[in-house]
Amino acid sequence: MALTNQDIIFASLMGSKAVATYQRTQLVQNELSKHVLPNIPFLPLQQNESSISNGSINPSFRINQADAETPEEKQFFPLSFSFTQGGQKWLFPYEPMLNTSSGNNIVKRNVAKQGEKLVGTIKERWSRKDFDIQVTGVLMGSLISGSVEDCFPKKQMVELFEYLKHNKEFFIYSELLEIEGITKVVVEDYSFPFTKGENVQAYDIKLVSDSSYSLLIKEEF
């Protein structure tokens, strides 16, 4: 059974073992649907646990309905943006994957005839590099298939793109980034790769940390 786009998303979020289990349940589902049961997915739930109760299917359960947005309190590391400090936040509707990297800028000098006791280079000065932040995830519309207006996550795309095209720094909120002292970022690169599924759009965003500096030095007389 070939990996689908949905399988790949689950692999990145839950690991390959979870995908293997998911594929097995899909095979079981396909066989059962040929006999007596309706085609209801095992994973992921397309609404919530209240859709199925006492062995019966809630009439409001829609086969074509995708997962609802994940509320902030149910995300492990929720991520949100705001244009101003303490301003209205935009929360990523589905928790993305975050990768951060940084380091030091070091000025090295080679010393001629350094002898046996002096090995390597002289480190004259160094400074901290910016943090590079990679944000990868998906946006999903409310319906799995249908017209563009019905199923494509257009509203989410428009709201996210407002930040991506912003030509100044903006504020970022994530407990993981707060530990690293990151509160402001600028957008360096972003892409929206082709994603299989009418209601799914992947994104890959590269952010760079930003800090406030005062370039004027006050002299004391």
Side-chain angles (χ1 to χ4, degrees), residues 52-105:
I52 301 176
S53 61
N54 300 324
S56 61
I57 301 174
N58 191 318
S60 64
F61 180 78
R62 297 178 63 184
I63 301 300
N64 195 37
Q65 186 166 338
D67 289 343
E69 297 181 6
T70 307
E72 185 172 5
E73 61 272 11
K74 291 188 177 182
Q75 297 187 29
F76 188 73
F77 277 134
L79 179 68
S80 56
F81 294 156
S82 73
F83 288 115
T84 59
Q85 187 173 18
Q88 184 177 0
K89 297 180 181 179
W90 183 80
L91 174 71
F92 279 77
Y94 304 95
E95 184 178 345
M97 293 179 289
L98 287 177
N99 291 288
T100 62
S101 62
S102 186
N104 294 313
N105 295 306

Coordinates of all heavy atoms in Angstrom, one line a residue, residues 52-105:
I52 N -19.8 9.5 17.7 CA -20.2 8.1 17.8 C -20.5 7.8 19.3 O -19.6 8.0 20.1 CB -19.1 7.2 17.3 CG1 -18.8 7.5 15.8 CG2 -19.5 5.7 17.4 CD1 -17.7 6.7 15.2
S53 N -21.7 7.4 19.6 CA -22.0 7.1 21.0 C -23.0 6.0 21.1 O -23.9 5.8 20.2 CB -22.6 8.4 21.6 OG -23.8 8.8 20.9
N54 N -22.8 5.1 22.1 CA -23.7 4.0 22.3 C -23.8 3.1 21.0 O -24.9 2.5 20.7 CB -25.1 4.4 22.7 CG -25.1 5.2 24.0 OD1 -24.2 4.9 24.9 ND2 -25.9 6.2 24.1
G55 N -22.7 3.0 20.3 CA -22.7 2.2 19.1 C -23.5 2.7 17.9 O -23.6 2.0 16.9
S56 N -24.0 3.9 18.0 CA -24.7 4.5 16.9 C -24.0 5.7 16.4 O -23.2 6.4 17.1 CB -26.1 4.9 17.3 OG -26.1 5.8 18.4
I57 N -24.2 6.1 15.2 CA -23.6 7.2 14.6 C -24.5 8.4 14.7 O -25.6 8.4 14.3 CB -23.3 6.9 13.1 CG1 -22.4 5.7 13.0 CG2 -22.6 8.1 12.4 CD1 -22.1 5.2 11.6
N58 N -23.9 9.5 15.2 CA -24.6 10.8 15.3 C -25.0 11.3 13.9 O -24.2 11.3 13.0 CB -23.7 11.8 16.0 CG -24.5 13.0 16.4 OD1 -25.3 13.5 15.6 ND2 -24.2 13.5 17.6
P59 N -26.2 11.7 13.7 CA -26.6 12.1 12.4 C -25.9 13.3 11.9 O -25.8 13.6 10.7 CB -28.1 12.5 12.6 CG -28.6 11.7 13.8 CD -27.4 11.6 14.6
S60 N -25.3 14.1 12.8 CA -24.6 15.3 12.4 C -23.2 15.0 11.9 O -22.5 15.8 11.4 CB -24.4 16.3 13.6 OG -23.7 15.7 14.7
F61 N -22.7 13.7 12.1 CA -21.4 13.3 11.6 C -21.3 13.3 10.1 O -22.1 12.7 9.4 CB -21.1 11.9 12.2 CG -19.8 11.4 11.8 CD1 -18.6 11.8 12.4 CD2 -19.6 10.4 10.7 CE1 -17.4 11.3 12.1 CE2 -18.4 9.9 10.4 CZ -17.3 10.4 11.0
R62 N -20.4 14.0 9.6 CA -20.3 14.2 8.1 C -19.0 13.5 7.6 O -17.9 13.8 8.1 CB -20.3 15.7 7.7 CG -21.5 16.4 8.1 CD -21.5 17.9 7.7 NE -21.3 18.0 6.3 CZ -21.2 19.2 5.7 NH1 -21.1 20.3 6.5 NH2 -21.0 19.3 4.4
I63 N -19.2 12.6 6.7 CA -18.0 11.8 6.2 C -17.0 12.8 5.5 O -15.8 12.6 5.5 CB -18.5 10.7 5.2 CG1 -19.4 9.8 5.9 CG2 -17.3 10.0 4.6 CD1 -18.8 9.0 7.1
N64 N -17.6 13.8 4.9 CA -16.7 14.7 4.1 C -16.1 15.8 4.9 O -15.4 16.7 4.4 CB -17.6 15.4 3.0 CG -16.7 16.0 1.9 OD1 -15.7 15.5 1.6 ND2 -17.2 17.1 1.4
Q65 N -16.4 15.8 6.2 CA -15.9 16.9 7.1 C -14.5 16.6 7.6 O -14.2 15.5 8.1 CB -16.8 17.1 8.3 CG -16.5 18.3 9.1 CD -17.6 18.7 10.0 OE1 -18.7 18.4 9.8 NE2 -17.3 19.4 11.1
A66 N -13.6 17.5 7.5 CA -12.2 17.4 8.0 C -12.1 17.7 9.5 O -13.1 18.1 10.1 CB -11.3 18.3 7.2
D67 N -10.9 17.4 10.0 CA -10.7 17.7 11.4 C -10.9 19.2 11.7 O -10.5 20.1 10.9 CB -9.3 17.3 11.9 CG -9.1 15.8 11.9 OD1 -10.1 15.1 11.9 OD2 -7.9 15.4 11.9
A68 N -11.5 19.5 12.9 CA -11.6 20.9 13.3 C -10.3 21.5 13.7 O -9.3 20.7 14.0 CB -12.6 21.0 14.4
E69 N -10.1 22.8 13.7 CA -8.9 23.4 14.2 C -8.6 23.0 15.6 O -9.6 22.9 16.4 CB -9.0 24.9 14.0 CG -9.2 25.4 12.6 CD -9.2 26.9 12.5 OE1 -9.0 27.6 13.6 OE2 -9.5 27.4 11.4
T70 N -7.3 22.9 15.9 CA -7.0 22.5 17.3 C -6.9 23.7 18.2 O -6.1 24.6 17.9 CB -5.6 21.8 17.3 OG1 -5.6 20.7 16.3 CG2 -5.3 21.2 18.7
P71 N -7.7 23.8 19.3 CA -7.6 24.9 20.1 C -6.2 25.0 20.8 O -5.5 24.0 21.0 CB -8.7 24.7 21.2 CG -9.0 23.2 21.1 CD -8.7 22.8 19.7
E72 N -5.9 26.2 21.2 CA -4.6 26.5 21.8 C -4.3 25.6 23.0 O -3.1 25.1 23.2 CB -4.4 28.0 22.2 CG -3.0 28.4 22.6 CD -2.9 29.9 22.8 OE1 -3.9 30.6 22.7 OE2 -1.8 30.3 23.1
E73 N -5.3 25.4 23.9 CA -5.0 24.7 25.1 C -4.8 23.2 24.8 O -4.3 22.5 25.7 CB -6.2 24.8 26.1 CG -7.5 24.3 25.5 CD -8.3 25.3 24.8 OE1 -7.7 26.4 24.4 OE2 -9.5 25.1 24.5
K74 N -5.1 22.7 23.6 CA -4.9 21.3 23.3 C -3.6 21.1 22.4 O -3.3 20.0 22.0 CB -6.1 20.7 22.6 CG -7.3 20.6 23.4 CD -8.4 19.8 22.8 CE -9.6 19.6 23.7 NZ -10.7 18.8 23.1
Q75 N -2.9 22.2 22.1 CA -1.6 22.1 21.4 C -0.5 22.0 22.4 O -0.5 22.7 23.4 CB -1.4 23.2 20.5 CG -2.5 23.3 19.3 CD -2.2 24.4 18.3 OE1 -1.0 24.8 18.1 NE2 -3.2 25.0 17.7
F76 N 0.5 21.2 22.1 CA 1.7 21.1 23.1 C 2.5 22.4 23.0 O 2.9 22.9 24.1 CB 2.5 19.9 22.7 CG 3.6 19.6 23.7 CD1 3.2 19.0 24.9 CD2 4.9 19.8 23.5 CE1 4.2 18.7 25.9 CE2 5.9 19.5 24.4 CZ 5.5 19.0 25.6
F77 N 3.0 22.8 21.8 CA 3.7 24.0 21.7 C 3.0 24.9 20.7 O 3.3 25.0 19.5 CB 5.1 23.8 21.1 CG 6.1 23.4 22.2 CD1 7.0 22.3 22.0 CD2 6.2 24.1 23.4 CE1 7.9 22.0 22.9 CE2 7.2 23.7 24.3 CZ 8.0 22.7 24.1
P78 N 1.9 25.6 21.1 CA 1.2 26.5 20.2 C 2.0 27.6 19.7 O 2.9 28.1 20.5 CB 0.0 27.0 21.1 CG 0.4 26.8 22.5 CD 1.3 25.6 22.5
L79 N 1.8 28.0 18.5 CA 2.6 29.1 17.9 C 1.7 30.2 17.4 O 0.7 29.9 16.7 CB 3.5 28.6 16.8 CG 4.3 29.6 16.0 CD1 5.4 30.1 16.9 CD2 4.9 29.0 14.7
S80 N 2.0 31.4 17.7 CA 1.1 32.5 17.3 C 2.0 33.7 16.9 O 3.1 33.9 17.4 CB 0.1 32.9 18.3 OG 0.6 33.2 19.6
F81 N 1.4 34.6 16.1 CA 2.1 35.9 15.7 C 1.2 37.1 16.1 O 0.0 36.9 16.3 CB 2.2 36.0 14.2 CG 3.2 34.9 13.6 CD1 3.0 34.6 12.2 CD2 4.2 34.4 14.3 CE1 3.8 33.6 11.6 CE2 5.1 33.4 13.7 CZ 4.9 33.1 12.4
S82 N 1.9 38.2 16.3 CA 1.1 39.5 16.4 C 2.0 40.6 15.8 O 3.2 40.6 15.9 CB 0.7 39.8 17.9 OG 1.9 40.2 18.6
F83 N 1.3 41.6 15.3 CA 2.1 42.7 14.7 C 2.7 43.7 15.7 O 3.7 44.3 15.5 CB 1.2 43.5 13.7 CG 0.9 42.8 12.4 CD1 -0.4 42.4 12.2 CD2 1.8 42.4 11.5 CE1 -0.7 41.7 11.0 CE2 1.6 41.8 10.4 CZ 0.3 41.4 10.1
T84 N 2.0 43.8 16.8 CA 2.5 44.6 17.9 C 2.5 43.9 19.2 O 1.9 42.8 19.4 CB 1.5 45.8 18.1 OG1 0.2 45.3 18.4 CG2 1.4 46.7 16.9
Q85 N 3.4 44.3 20.1 CA 3.6 43.6 21.4 C 2.3 43.7 22.2 O 1.7 44.8 22.4 CB 4.7 44.3 22.2 CG 5.0 43.5 23.5 CD 6.3 44.1 24.1 OE1 6.7 45.2 23.8 NE2 6.9 43.3 25.0
G86 N 1.7 42.6 22.6 CA 0.5 42.5 23.3 C -0.7 42.7 22.5 O -1.8 42.8 23.0
G87 N -0.5 42.8 21.1 CA -1.7 43.0 20.2 C -2.4 41.7 20.0 O -2.1 40.6 20.5
Q88 N -3.4 41.8 19.1 CA -4.2 40.6 18.7 C -3.3 39.6 18.1 O -2.6 39.8 17.1 CB -5.3 41.0 17.8 CG -6.3 39.8 17.5 CD -7.4 40.3 16.6 OE1 -7.6 41.4 16.3 NE2 -8.3 39.3 16.3
K89 N -3.4 38.3 18.6 CA -2.6 37.2 18.1 C -3.3 36.4 17.0 O -4.5 36.3 17.1 CB -2.2 36.3 19.3 CG -1.4 36.9 20.4 CD -1.1 35.9 21.5 CE -0.3 36.5 22.6 NZ 0.0 35.6 23.7
W90 N -2.5 35.9 16.1 CA -3.0 34.9 15.1 C -2.4 33.6 15.4 O -1.2 33.4 15.4 CB -2.6 35.3 13.7 CG -3.2 34.4 12.7 CD1 -4.5 34.4 12.2 CD2 -2.5 33.3 12.0 NE1 -4.7 33.3 11.3 CE2 -3.5 32.7 11.2 CE3 -1.2 32.8 12.1 CZ2 -3.2 31.6 10.4 CZ3 -0.9 31.7 11.3 CH2 -1.9 31.1 10.5
L91 N -3.2 32.6 15.8 CA -2.8 31.3 16.2 C -2.7 30.3 15.0 O -3.7 30.3 14.3 CB -3.7 30.7 17.3 CG -3.5 29.3 17.7 CD1 -2.2 29.2 18.6 CD2 -4.6 28.8 18.6
F92 N -1.6 29.6 14.9 CA -1.6 28.6 13.8 C -2.7 27.5 14.2 O -2.7 27.0 15.3 CB -0.2 27.9 13.8 CG 0.8 28.7 13.0 CD1 1.4 29.8 13.6 CD2 1.1 28.3 11.7 CE1 2.3 30.5 12.8 CE2 2.0 29.0 11.0 CZ 2.6 30.2 11.5
P93 N -3.6 27.3 13.3 CA -4.8 26.4 13.6 C -4.4 25.0 13.9 O -5.1 24.3 14.6 CB -5.7 26.5 12.4 CG -4.7 26.9 11.3 CD -3.7 27.8 11.9
Y94 N -3.3 24.5 13.3 CA -2.8 23.1 13.6 C -1.3 23.3 14.0 O -0.6 23.9 13.3 CB -3.0 22.2 12.4 CG -4.4 22.2 11.9 CD1 -4.8 23.0 10.8 CD2 -5.3 21.3 12.4 CE1 -6.1 23.0 10.4 CE2 -6.6 21.3 12.0 CZ -7.0 22.1 11.0 OH -8.3 22.1 10.6
E95 N -1.0 22.7 15.1 CA 0.4 22.9 15.6 C 1.5 22.5 14.6 O 1.5 21.4 14.1 CB 0.6 22.0 16.9 CG 1.9 22.3 17.6 CD 2.0 21.4 18.9 OE1 1.0 20.9 19.4 OE2 3.2 21.3 19.4
P96 N 2.3 23.5 14.3 CA 3.4 23.2 13.3 C 4.6 22.6 14.0 O 4.7 22.5 15.2 CB 3.7 24.6 12.7 CG 3.5 25.5 13.9 CD 2.3 24.9 14.7
M97 N 5.6 22.1 13.1 CA 6.8 21.7 13.6 C 7.8 22.8 13.7 O 7.9 23.6 12.7 CB 7.4 20.5 12.7 CG 6.6 19.3 12.8 SD 7.2 18.0 11.7 CE 6.8 18.6 10.1
L98 N 8.6 23.0 14.8 CA 9.5 24.1 14.9 C 10.9 23.5 15.0 O 11.2 22.6 15.7 CB 9.2 24.9 16.2 CG 8.0 25.8 16.2 CD1 7.9 26.4 17.6 CD2 8.2 26.9 15.1
N99 N 11.9 24.1 14.2 CA 13.3 23.8 14.3 C 14.0 25.1 14.4 O 13.8 26.0 13.7 CB 13.7 23.0 13.0 CG 13.2 21.6 13.0 OD1 13.5 20.7 13.7 ND2 12.2 21.4 12.0
T100 N 14.9 25.1 15.4 CA 15.7 26.3 15.6 C 17.2 26.0 15.6 O 17.6 24.9 16.0 CB 15.4 27.0 17.0 OG1 15.7 26.1 18.1 CG2 14.0 27.4 17.1
S101 N 18.0 26.9 15.1 CA 19.5 26.7 15.1 C 20.1 28.1 15.2 O 19.6 29.1 14.8 CB 19.9 26.1 13.8 OG 19.6 26.9 12.6
S102 N 21.3 28.1 15.8 CA 22.1 29.3 16.0 C 23.6 28.9 16.2 O 24.0 27.8 15.9 CB 21.6 30.1 17.1 OG 22.2 31.4 17.2
G103 N 24.4 29.9 16.7 CA 25.8 29.6 16.9 C 26.5 30.9 17.2 O 25.9 31.9 17.7
N104 N 27.8 30.9 17.0 CA 28.6 32.1 17.3 C 29.4 32.5 16.1 O 29.9 31.6 15.3 CB 29.6 31.8 18.5 CG 28.9 31.5 19.8 OD1 28.0 32.3 20.2 ND2 29.2 30.5 20.5
N105 N 29.6 33.8 15.9 CA 30.6 34.3 15.0 C 31.9 34.5 15.6 O 32.0 35.3 16.6 CB 30.1 35.6 14.4 CG 28.8 35.5 13.6 OD1 28.7 34.7 12.7 ND2 27.8 36.2 14.0

